[in-house]
Amino acid sequence: MNKNNYAIIMAGGIGSRFWPISRTSHPKQFIDILGTGKTLIQQTYDRFLKICPQENIYIVTNEIYSDLVKEQLQGIGDQQILTEPVMRNTAPCVAYGCFKIESINPDAAIVVAPSDHLILDEPGFIATIERSLETASQNDCLITLGIKPSRPDTGYGYIQFTDKTINGDFHKVKTFTEKPTLEIAKTFLQSGDFLWNAGIFVWSAKAIVDAFGQHLPDMNDIFADARSVYNTDDERPYIHTAYQRCTNISIDYGIMEKASNVYVLPSEFGWSDLGTWASIYDLAEKDYVGNAVIPSDKVIMYDSSNCMVNVPEGKLVIIKGLHDFIVVESNNTLLISPRSEEQGVKQIVADVKQQFGTKYI
């Protein structure tokens, strides 16, 4: 295992589209949402243990989740949990982790990944990441992984690539496109040169630090000035004060869409961002009429089909005459909604917060 390989796992989101199971106090990445016996962050951590030395894995998360991280990831050290005092999107999160790693090992190659994605082909994923880390170490480039699209999905961002390559099949990126309309997504698939943006990045410490200096100089200054306090008792108070000065901006918009040395590796390893209940439904085991029930020990379905049901273990639930619905209960809250309207969950959460405060959020 290469001692210069590092991983940053981003684990600060609140997963509001999975409300009411995902709450601010206990969000999606800390939940065994698929009933596998391991939470999403545990699965992510276990994958990277096969790529990086354990001490080279860092978790960036909100400070309110640091105890959850320690509870779920055995052997993780306090210096490996990088806490954010406020949410500022992904660019500050990436900057914090990468500048800290660069201060420890200037020769580091770093993979940055979300904590809540599903990977079905783990050997394929590991091979892809290892190859990307090697390429990043040998070239001055910023690598992103692109998933070969299987359908014209409007829920993902897209990456367009050119024929120019390095190291075989790492393609120069031409454009990034945010979530398109269905018609545009169809043209992307027909063209053959677009990939889904998986939000997984690989680069050398030097390349990403240089990119921050060029494209986000103010943020660069904040985290470069912290080099003297990384891995000391002053790190946390310094970073928590400095974070207030950070712009709320994504790494995609702040750097990847602007840099001239961005490459994408077309990839296939059974990826899903588990962004909605629809993605959980697609992956879950179903009965002969299409009902997915997690857990299923005391749920009885009559004349019902194509439903996504997630209720507390041991709770007796009877559903009759329901078709294409989501039924979710957690934390003294019951949500029943047509599957076709699941994108409205975020608005429901906002309405509940307005009417009842944060008690149910």
Side-chain angles (χ1 to χ4, degrees), residues 26-250:
H26 200 97
K28 150 189 169 191
Q29 60 269 29
F30 301 106
I31 298 171
D32 177 12
I33 207 161
L34 285 168
T36 64
K38 288 191 174 182
T39 66
L40 295 177
I41 193 172
Q42 286 173 330
Q43 292 182 46
T44 304
Y45 181 68
D46 288 350
R47 281 194 294 273
F48 284 119
L49 284 173
K50 298 177 176 70
I51 297 169
C52 310
Q54 191 275 338
E55 63 273 16
N56 288 8
I57 301 175
Y58 290 82
I59 316 295
V60 185
T61 190
N62 191 288
E63 62 178 330
I64 65 174
Y65 304 139
S66 59
D67 287 342
L68 271 174
V69 171
K70 281 189 270 193
E71 177 186 315
Q72 294 201 1
L73 305 184
Q74 299 302 312
I76 201 86
D78 288 343
Q79 287 291 344
Q80 294 166 265
I81 303 172
L82 314 187
T83 59
E84 304 174 286
V86 290
M87 285 195 290
R88 284 288 187 269
N89 217 315
T90 53
C93 155
V94 170
Y96 182 13
C98 289
F99 273 85
K100 179 177 168 105
I101 290 169
E102 184 258 358
S103 73
I104 298 167
N105 183 355
D107 297 322
I110 305 166
V111 52
V112 180
S115 60
D116 54 2
H117 288 185
L118 177 71
I119 306 296
L120 294 175
D121 178 9
E122 188 172 276
F125 175 81
I126 291 168
T128 298
I129 297 298
E130 288 181 336
R131 189 155 170 249
S132 300
L133 287 163
E134 183 180 353
T135 299
S137 298
Q138 297 168 351
N139 299 271
D140 177 24
C141 61
L142 307 174
I143 296 170
T144 183
L145 301 189
I147 306 300
K148 295 175 183 177
S150 57
R151 60 188 182 276
D153 200 302
T154 60
Y156 298 138
Y158 285 73
I159 303 168
Q160 185 182 22
F161 59 90
T162 71
D163 291 334
K164 181 182 177 182
T165 62
I166 56 172
N167 203 17
D169 47 7
F170 290 80
H171 289 259
K172 187 88 158 51
V173 169
K174 185 176 182 180
T175 60
F176 286 87
T177 303
E178 292 301 310
K179 298 173 183 177
T181 63
L182 182 59
E183 287 307 310
I184 292 174
K186 286 177 180 177
T187 65
F188 285 174
L189 251 69
Q190 290 166 0
S191 73
D193 58 355
F194 281 84
L195 303 163
W196 288 336
N197 187 348
I200 301 171
F201 310 101
V202 182
W203 38 55
S204 68
K206 182 182 184 304
I208 190 61
V209 165
D210 288 348
F212 271 100
Q214 185 175 349
H215 302 291
L216 290 173
D218 290 345
M219 197 173 294
N220 175 81
D221 291 346
I222 289 170
F223 292 98
D225 289 348
R227 283 190 175 107
S228 62
V229 301
Y230 290 132
N231 301 298
T232 73
D233 291 341
D234 295 327
E235 177 181 333
R236 187 174 180 275
Y238 180 98
I239 293 296
H240 279 218
T241 300
Y243 241 80
Q244 310 294 338
R245 309 197 326 260
C246 287
T247 309
N248 188 333
I249 190 170
S250 71

